[in-house]
Amino acid sequence: MRVKEILEDIHSGSSLSNIAAKFHNTLVEMIIAVAKCVGEEKIVLSGGCFQNKYLTERTIQRLRAENFCPYWHQRIPPMMVASFWDKSWQFYGKLGFKKIDIW
């Protein structure tokens, strides 16, 4: 779904829930397309966008339908890991340690 299509839907009076569903389904199909290009069976879903329940559940459903093996956060929110690392580096910085980018 392109921005132009969203604007056309708004102009034509489509419901916001219909527009949102089309938008999120487009994101899901983009994730599927990338997974197919990468060619790995195991796909890890992480990051703030996967706090969205619909996006997460629909992505998992579609990945499985395409014979991928999705992994996702199930016990802690997706952003907790990033928050943990950020807070850890803030603490270590106060002790005089320097952050080293290992990625």
Side-chain angles (χ1 to χ4, degrees):
M1 171 172 236
R2 297 182 176 134
V3 173
K4 181 180 177 185
E5 294 173 49
I6 292 172
L7 295 174
E8 288 171 354
D9 283 351
I10 291 170
H11 183 70
S12 69
S14 292
S15 70
L16 292 179
S17 61
N18 186 40
I19 296 168
K22 287 167 75 174
F23 172 78
H24 285 89
N25 287 332
T26 299
L27 292 177
V28 170
E29 294 309 315
M30 291 169 68
I31 292 166
I32 299 303
V34 170
K36 287 179 178 179
C37 285
V38 171
E40 293 290 331
E41 178 188 352
K42 297 176 182 178
I43 306 296
V44 178
L45 308 174
S46 185
C49 65
F50 293 107
Q51 292 183 74
N52 181 295
K53 182 180 178 181
Y54 178 85
L55 181 64
T56 302
E57 290 176 354
R58 183 76 177 128
T59 302
I60 292 165
Q61 179 185 46
R62 286 287 294 119
L63 285 167
R64 286 179 172 163
E66 295 290 335
N67 296 314
F68 289 102
C69 183
Y71 293 87
W72 66 98
H73 294 268
Q74 296 179 36
R75 293 191 175 94
I76 60 171
M79 292 303 293
M80 289 294 278
V81 175
S83 178
F84 166 77
W85 285 112
D86 184 51
K87 297 296 181 202
S88 297
W89 283 116
Q90 288 177 19
F91 173 74
Y92 286 119
K94 289 179 182 177
L95 296 176
F97 291 92
K98 294 182 181 176
K99 182 177 178 181
I100 299 172
D101 219 350
I102 59 172
W103 309 114

